[in-house]
Structure formats: structure tokens, C-alpha cells
Amino acid sequence: MNINHFAFRHVGPREEEIPAMLTKIGVNSLDSLIELTVPAAIRLSETSAIRPGVSEQAYFEQIREIASLNKLYKTYIGMGYYGTVMPPVIQRNILENPGWYTSYTPYQAEISQGRLEALLNFQTVVLELTGMEIANASLLDEGTAAAEAMIMLYNARSKEAVARSANCFFADSNTFPQTLEVIKTRATALGITVITGDFTLFVPEDTVFGALVQYPAGDGRIRDYAQFVEQTHAGKIPVAVVADIMSLVLLVPPGQWGADIVVGSTQRFGISMGYGGPHAGYFATRELYKRYMPGRIIGVTVDKENRPALRMALQTREQHIKRERATSNICTAQALLASMAGMYAVYHGREGLNEIATRIHRLTATLNNRLVELGYQQENNMFFDTLRIKLPAAITADDIRVIALDKEINFRYPDAGTVGISLDETTTLEDINRILGIFSVALRKYAGRITAVDTEIRIDMKFLRQDDFMKLALFIRYHCETEMMRYIKQLERKDFSLAHGMIPLGSCTMKLNAAIEMLPMSWPEFGNIHPFVPLDQAEGYHRLFHELSAFLKA
């Protein structure tokens, strides 16, 4: 018996259990079992590609070494992925807590009231910030949510639209490229034609069944889509909006200027970038589309004693009940991360979110003002957190890149004469001074040091939201860490997870992962890597990818 062997502590079978199992099956050895069950033609003759197993401590040392290969540069690339601050009370009590991360999909409402409430919180936050009427309990990510919006509008076409073969979907070209690629990939299998172009030049046609824009736009500009929405609606074409959830704390929500669907990512609500995921996408729409919506919806009802209770609503759409009638193959998708994002909003409340969003914007405005003073041209006249710097003829994007990488800083480089800079929750005044230092060196000018953040808001009043949102007691009660911890624990006690006993269902969550395997999820070396950094900054990730690929092939 080797107590340090992984199988002994976790998956089994243990050595003393094997003979009884072989006798029950009726074979003499494990080799005989393999010979009887795996055809010789596909049986691997040797397994040199797979290293011998190691102890948990040895694994821990190896994964630490791999993590150290990732380089933690300061990143201002944006494009849907941003630095965040995960509140420790959420990290310790949800992300790192098996009472939350081993919970199964809440099919059995009576033993799932805690996670159902957490997901209802997530839906509520999404509705409050988007200004829509109904939201689901999360999707995989922003790209998936945008593609699901397209598919939902395709499935919800009127009889007249189907009759005239309306199978074209318009997407504004100023949308994040990765989102457009997911939309195009999903469209191909359904026979949908994706048309991209400038939304200001879009003319509604009978062949178009839906349209999509990004808010703020992919380059960071805050665009006025009201006239576009009015025009498309006049042509009986609904509009989907991909919206930055943090910007909606300050900006007029799409629901107020006519959007039919609003989708996006909640990564900015305390979730690490993680080299591109996983994150929790959100999906909100109008009641009109509730029976076409993908994903799960958590609804409020009453139990047999007439007390408030939660359940999954509209389950007739679900593939686990009526597969042939399911609206999509998306289920709860990212329940753990959706719970964390919802709790981030609960913990900060409206005032806290407003403080974070306003600080991000004011730091961006401060950087904008100083770069213009230095002599640079900033092309986004209206912005939330993203600047688009047009470089003088004597400077190229590669010049900026060389100086920035030497300072361990990443920017976005859309073309040879432009630099994109997106700030986030983690940005400080000192970071602004470092960025200015890079651009001043490139111009061979002295920028000086900034000692205070400008207080101006560089957003036109017509774009600033004026409504009163997030007024529920839920968003007021838990700003103290102790109260927040007690609330999370209160919900956890309403649930049944692997921390309590066996879950007799499938395995679509992380329930089979050992604690030692979960620990690196909280490390910044894995969490704080933007998906679009240069490859040499993500060597640890790529070593994992290549090793896993070799193991799987073997």
C-alpha cells in the first residue's frame, strides 16, 4: 500500500481491492481484461509518452514550476478581457470551497436552494444593468452568448420572414474579432449568412432577420445606436447588443434605447482572465422571447407551505426533459462563475460598482488628457475605458511595442500606426505614469509625473444613465465582509454537494478534481494572463497544452 499514490487517496481501486474485482468479472489479471475489451488493432504497444504518476507534493512542485513560466506583465489590451480584483471573501468561500464548486446542476430544487438563489442574484444583476425584462443563469462566454442571440432570433423568425427566406444576420464590423468569429462559425452549420459592415451604412432588407452591435464599440468608442435601432425596427429586424457589463454602471442601458437582446461577459465582476476563460457569459432579452431563450432561467415560486422557493423555470425547453424541443444545448453553463460574479455585485452594491466604474473612466480621461498634451492624437472622442492613440508619422506601433515590452507592459496594436489602451479595476495612478513614460520616451519628450486623477467625466450627458437601479436590499445589506461571509455560508447550508455525500447524477462540474488540482486556479500566474499576450509570456500555459495533447493521444 502506498498512501502517497494518487489513486489510493482519490479514484481507486486500491491494490487490495483489485483481486476481488477481477474474480467478480472472471479474469485473471488487468492485462487479460484489457485484451478482452480493447481490440488489438487499436491497442497501444507501449506507453512511453505517458510519464509515471507522481505524488501530490511532487505534482505541486511541478505545477509551481510550470506556473513560473508565465510572465505577469501589466496588460492594457482589453478586447473583452480585463484585470480584476476578486474579493477575498468570494475567493475563499466560493471559488475555493467544495460546498460550492462540487454542487451539481440544480435539477432537484429542494436540495439546491442556495445555488439557485446565487444564480437568481446573477440574473437580477444582469437585468438591473442591461435594462431588459428576462435573463438566464449564464452562458459560456461573450462570443457564445452573441452566437446564441443570433440563433435565437433565427429560430424566432415570423412565418413571413421564413417564407421570404430571411437567413442573413448583420453584425457591425466594429465588434471584437473573436466574437465575430464565433458568430460566423455557428452560422455556417445553420445555413445563416453573416453580413459585416458599418452600422451607419446598414439598410434593412427582407433577407435580414437580425442585427448586432457592440456597446461600447470594439475600438472603445461610445456610439449612439438609437437611430440604428429605430431604423432596423422599422424594417421588422430585432437588434442584439454586446455590452460591457462594467460600462453599464455609467452608461444608459441598451434596454432603454430599444435593444431586443443584450449579451456579454461578467468577467469584469471579479473573475480572473485565465488566458481567455472560463468566464460567465450573460444573456438578457424581452419577455417576448422567453420561450426561445437558450440556457436556464431561475424562477421564484412557493412551496407546499406557501413559502417563497426557487426552481428552474420553463424546463420544457430543456434537453434533459424534451431533447427534441430544446432551444439549444446550453445548460447552466458557468454556474460557479456566475455565482461569483453575482456575489461581486452584491458585495459592492450600486455605490461600490459606481465607484469602480467611475475610477476606471477618470483614470482613462486623465491618461487621455496627458497623451494629448504630449502631442498624440486620441481618436475616441467618447469613451469609457479605452483610448485609440494615432501615432505621429515618425513613430510606429513597433517602436511603442519595443519600449513597452522592456517595461513589461502590453498594449493593443490594431495597425502599424495605432495603439489601443484599455484600463481596468486594477489600474493605479502609478500605472498611468508608467504608460506616459513609454509614450514620452518614444517622442523624446518629458511628460512629468501625475499626482492626482482628473475628476472630469468624458461622457456626453445623453449617454450617462439617470435611472435608479440596484435598489433591492440584497445590494445594500452585505457590504461588510463578515456579513457577506455569513450570507454565502447561509446559502451553502441550503445545498447538497459532494461535501455532504454522493451525488447520483452525471459529472458536468469539477466534482472529480482533487483539492491539489484546484489550488493553482487561484494563482495569479494562471489567472492574470490575457489571452492575446505574446506567446512567450504564456509558456507555462503552452507547456500544459502540449503535454496534455501528448497524453491524450497516447
Side-chain angles (χ1 to χ4, degrees), residues 350-377:
R350 176 181 174 176
E351 291 77 13
L353 291 180
N354 186 70
E355 183 178 320
I356 293 167
T358 301
R359 187 170 178 277
I360 291 171
H361 175 71
R362 283 176 172 163
L363 281 168
T364 309
T366 303
L367 178 59
N368 169 78
N369 296 341
R370 299 307 184 274
L371 286 172
V372 170
E373 288 173 6
L374 263 179
Y376 288 94
Q377 179 184 349

Side-chain angles (χ1 to χ4, degrees), residues 1-10 13 15 53-56:
M1 179 178 70
N2 183 357
I3 61 172
N4 290 321
H5 195 280
F6 188 86
F8 176 82
R9 293 293 191 188
H10 298 283
E15 291 181 13
V54 298
S55 68
E56 290 193 355

Side-chain angles (χ1 to χ4, degrees), residues 59-78:
Y59 161 81
F60 196 69
E61 292 168 2
Q62 286 181 14
I63 201 70
R64 269 290 186 200
E65 177 191 347
I66 292 173
S68 69
L69 298 176
N70 292 327
K71 298 174 183 176
L72 287 174
Y73 285 19
K74 194 71 179 177
T75 298
Y76 305 99
I77 296 173

